[in-house]
Amino acid sequence: MIGRVAEIFSSIQGEGIYVGTPMVFIRFSGCNLQCSYCDTTMFRNAVAGKALILDEIISRTEKELEDAKNISIISLTGGEPLLQVEVLAEIIRHFRNEGIKIYLETNGTLYEKFSKIADIVDYTAMDIKLPSACGTECYKEHLAFLKAVKNDVFIKIVLTTKTTTSEFEKAVTVVERVNKSIPVVLMPATQVEKIKPMSFNNVRSLKGIAEQKLENVSIIPQKHKEMGIR
């Protein structure tokens, strides 16, 4: 079995409610979306990165775990890792047998693929993608994905100066329809070329809108970008 892997490295989680948590990251190449604020555009292509056999992916990850010491979580990230769900399933089973927790970072659109591994993913960091940044509506896919989650999940919504109140309210409704207590993180976009982050006052205003329907809403920027690390 072959996987397309961009990089394997250890660092801290830089986004969402687990910010600062040490993890080993396996970044898979290939993505089914083209978001304007993407900071890993070099790995969008399905053939980006290296073609590695499953045993090589596992051995390199084990070395990172050994070198880093005291890390008990592996993050599967991308790109969109679920495009390679069969490879993910084998990696997850191997490391869960060793007592390692699995953290999946996903754009939350490939719910049928996710359903194949939902039972064996410990944490899911799911984006809700807004049309102003990604060029297409994904609300139906996000709703189906969220309904497929079996274990811990939180939502990230990236905000730019092009974000509209209307699309944001639709994203909030998706979460509310499943469980209003799911944590939602509002994440001002890190500036990339022409993409600019939303002002804090506007982010705070959207937070207020979300809190009318949801119980756990926070504002957390990309901390790894602020620190200049992966």
Side-chain angles (χ1 to χ4, degrees):
M1 186 176 292
I2 302 292
R4 283 280 177 178
V5 177
E7 54 185 348
I8 300 173
F9 62 98
S10 61
S11 186
I12 60 169
Q13 179 55 243
E15 299 179 353
I17 62 175
Y18 295 98
V19 158
T21 302
M23 299 184 185
V24 167
F25 296 79
I26 308 175
R27 185 182 304 282
F28 293 87
S29 58
C31 189
N32 59 314
L33 297 179
Q34 298 212 3
C35 301
S36 59
Y37 53 74
C38 180
D39 57 1
T40 55
T41 55
M42 68 290 288
F43 302 130
R44 276 181 181 166
N45 195 301
V47 297
K50 296 180 179 179
L52 300 177
I53 62 171
L54 177 64
D55 287 349
E56 180 71 9
I57 299 171
I58 288 173
S59 65
R60 291 190 184 192
T61 305
E62 287 178 333
K63 186 177 187 307
E64 283 292 336
L65 287 167
E66 182 181 350
D67 292 346
K69 296 182 173 52
N70 300 320
I71 290 182
S72 59
I73 302 176
I74 291 174
S75 170
L76 306 174
T77 187
E80 174 48 57
L82 286 171
L83 289 172
Q84 303 182 58
V85 69
E86 290 79 12
V87 177
L88 263 58
E90 296 301 319
I91 292 170
I92 292 170
R93 292 188 183 99
H94 175 87
F95 284 105
R96 284 186 112 231
N97 286 337
E98 296 186 356
I100 301 295
K101 299 288 188 181
I102 302 299
Y103 181 104
L104 175 69
E105 304 190 54
T106 175
N107 63 33
T109 62
L110 303 176
Y111 56 91
E112 291 181 344
K113 291 182 181 293
F114 176 66
S115 66
K116 297 178 181 180
I117 60 170
D119 287 333
I120 53 176
V121 170
D122 298 290
Y123 313 101
T124 301
M126 173 190 149
D127 283 14
I128 289 184
K129 300 295 189 181
L130 302 181
S132 61
C134 298
T136 184
E137 285 198 2
C138 300
Y139 301 118
K140 291 181 180 179
E141 291 84 354
H142 289 323
L143 181 61
F145 195 104
L146 206 47
K147 288 180 177 179
V149 173
K150 303 296 183 184
N151 297 311
D152 289 351
V153 63
F154 76 93
I155 305 296
K156 293 182 293 180
I157 305 177
V158 178
L159 305 175
T160 75
T161 52
K162 294 185 178 180
T163 300
T164 69
T165 301
S166 174
E167 65 181 356
F168 179 78
E169 288 175 335
K170 289 179 182 179
V172 169
T173 298
V174 168
V175 183
E176 182 191 26
R177 287 180 63 183
V178 178
N179 185 341
K180 63 183 180 180
S181 67
I182 294 172
V184 173
V185 174
L186 308 186
M187 195 165 70
T190 300
Q191 187 159 339
V192 179
E193 295 181 355
K194 296 180 181 180
I195 301 303
K196 296 182 179 180
M198 179 179 285
S199 71
F200 176 70
N201 284 340
N202 287 345
V203 174
R204 186 163 55 181
S205 176
L206 291 181
K207 182 175 184 286
I209 291 172
E211 287 175 330
Q212 294 175 21
K213 294 184 176 181
L214 306 178
E215 297 176 353
N216 189 347
V217 184
S218 57
I219 301 170
I220 307 176
Q222 288 184 303
K223 292 299 181 181
H224 62 301
K225 295 297 182 182
E226 291 181 1
M227 297 172 67
I229 60 176
R230 285 189 291 182

